[in-house]
Amino acid sequence: MTVLVTGAAGFIGMHVSMALLDAGEHVVGIDNLSAYYDVQLKQARLDELRKYEAFSFLKLDLSEGESIVPALAEIPNITKVVHLAAQAGVRYSLEHPFDYTQTNVTGFLAILEYCRQLDKLEHLVFASSSSVYGGNTELPYSVDQSVDKPVSLYAATKKANELMAHSYAHLYGIPLTGLRFFTVYGPWGRPDMAYWTFTEKMLQGEPLPIFNRGEMKRDFTYIDDIANGVLAVLAAPPVNNSEAAPYRIYNIGNHRSEPLLNLVSTLEASLKVKANLKMMPMQSGDVKETFADIDPIRRDVGYEPATSLQEGIPKFVEWYKSYKKG
């Protein structure tokens, strides 16, 4: 049987696909190869995946909605789906709001409709985000907390995904699990993330914009821990019974909230470059701190993050230098 991975040319999508392939699964990846960031990086990720005989790729744009469902239906033997395709980025959503409803809402609906028509679907795992917690001040963030006050459109679309998923689990009995990712980083990462932009600016001698004047914390989560967690969740679908829909939400993070300036100092040690800090006010749509309560995912599937920021950042730096050398 085969696993469908949407957003396979993305950062998390590539690593999840590779982990599945290493585990002996057949993977069909789809992606629209959007120009949100460097398409050459996405192509390079696909080149890595194409080294596996059990990987195949289709360029499809889920934001086309209902019209894309027949194309998805042509993919044979799908038993599990990992939906990671999304328009990411809190700040970008302030300037390009329609991109988010088309990709994150319409695109997710296309996947739900596709999965509704599959005869042998065992589990659909989809990407949510820690951004849904919005301005919550109770830490660590728990899946039991209310997430009804998003502070960005990106977060609102991810909350919409969770609501849509529950309705399809309830109506059609589709086993669905949403994962709220917390600040994922590592090799083959996204160029719009702080750890990447900071690395570039430090190597070029440019100042680093430090928002909220450094009073920021993030639950930085290394990509290998994320991929391992996704596979563990995928293998354990929620049970369909008369008491509740087969639906769950988990936080997936490192369960460690690190000051932003710890990221800077770790990069300084890895790059052997002193950072020039430019203190800035808080940005619209941003939050001061994220911190994941991972007890439910740890209890249910044995998820246990193993990589600290001090271990993970040097691995990213090593990859970054190698990648830039071409």
Side-chain angles (χ1 to χ4, degrees):
M1 296 295 111
T2 303
V3 182
L4 176 68
V5 179
T6 75
F11 172 35
I12 300 176
M14 172 206 178
H15 284 274
V16 168
S17 296
M18 193 171 292
L20 287 164
L21 292 160
D22 286 338
E25 301 282 2
H26 285 75
V27 174
V28 175
I30 65 174
D31 203 293
N32 69 347
L33 300 177
S34 78
Y36 169 61
Y37 61 80
D38 184 11
V39 175
Q40 288 186 342
L41 174 60
K42 297 180 180 182
Q43 292 285 7
R45 293 179 185 138
L46 288 177
D47 288 343
E48 293 297 308
L49 292 173
R50 287 187 174 111
K51 294 177 182 178
Y52 293 84
E53 291 185 5
F55 177 78
S56 59
F57 176 73
L58 294 172
K59 185 179 179 182
L60 293 175
D61 189 347
L62 296 176
S63 69
E64 294 177 10
E66 185 178 5
S67 66
I68 207 71
V69 176
L72 292 170
E74 295 297 317
I75 305 172
N77 302 321
I78 298 297
T79 57
K80 297 177 182 177
V81 177
V82 182
H83 177 60
L84 301 170
Q87 177 57 62
V90 169
R91 293 162 200 143
Y92 191 77
S93 70
L94 301 176
E95 301 172 2
H96 304 273
F98 289 99
D99 290 356
Y100 287 76
T101 55
Q102 281 297 110
T103 301
N104 297 359
V105 179
T106 301
F108 187 45
L109 182 57
I111 284 295
L112 289 172
E113 276 296 297
Y114 163 69
C115 288
R116 181 171 70 86
Q117 298 171 28
L118 289 176
D119 294 330
K120 299 179 180 180
L121 181 70
E122 298 174 11
H123 198 184
L124 165 57
V125 175
F126 68 95
S128 186
S129 168
S130 62
S131 295
V132 300
Y133 289 105
N136 282 11
T137 57
E138 184 180 346
L139 296 170
Y141 291 155
S142 164
V143 293
D144 295 324
Q145 293 176 15
S146 171
V147 289
D148 293 335
K149 296 180 180 179
V151 297
S152 70
L153 180 63
Y154 169 67
T157 63
K158 287 301 181 178
K159 173 60 177 175
N161 286 171
E162 295 181 2
L163 296 171
M164 294 162 68
H166 186 274
S167 70
Y168 269 68
H170 171 77
L171 290 168
Y172 306 114
I174 301 171
L176 277 146
T177 300
L179 296 175
R180 293 174 177 170
F181 293 109
F182 280 71
T183 315
V184 187
Y185 75 98
W188 296 100
R190 274 179 29 210
D192 61 325
M193 297 293 285
Y195 64 93
W196 183 304
T197 61
F198 284 5
T199 297
E200 285 189 332
K201 289 180 181 298
M202 289 170 67
L203 291 173
Q204 294 167 8
E206 298 178 6
L208 307 187
I210 304 296
F211 294 102
N212 203 36
R213 296 172 177 83
E215 294 296 318
M216 305 274 280
K217 289 185 175 182
R218 290 291 181 269
D219 196 329
F220 295 103
T221 315
Y222 190 66
I223 185 59
D224 288 357
D225 292 329
I226 289 289
N228 291 337
V230 171
L231 264 64
V233 168
L234 186 64
V239 176
N240 191 359
N241 58 48
S242 60
E243 297 180 2
Y247 171 85
R248 296 175 306 198
I249 290 288
Y250 291 125
N251 291 331
I252 183 165
N254 200 34
H255 193 57
R256 183 183 301 176
S257 193
E258 299 260 9
L260 179 62
L261 294 180
N262 281 9
L263 170 63
V264 175
S265 63
T266 305
L267 282 169
E268 286 178 325
S270 298
L271 294 167
K272 298 179 172 55
V273 173
K274 183 67 176 176
N276 176 17
L277 307 185
K278 182 179 180 181
M279 297 301 180
M280 307 280 286
M282 192 74 156
Q283 292 190 113
S284 296
D286 215 342
V287 297
K288 183 177 179 180
E289 183 173 358
T290 65
F291 184 8
D293 174 3
I294 61 170
D295 285 347
I297 191 173
R298 176 185 279 150
R299 176 195 65 228
D300 291 351
V301 302
Y303 171 72
E304 198 65 56
T307 310
S308 69
L309 188 68
Q310 291 69 32
E311 295 168 316
I313 285 296
K315 294 179 181 180
F316 165 73
V317 168
E318 181 182 7
W319 169 83
Y320 176 87
K321 290 181 176 179
S322 174
Y323 177 72
K324 287 298 181 178
K325 283 182 181 177

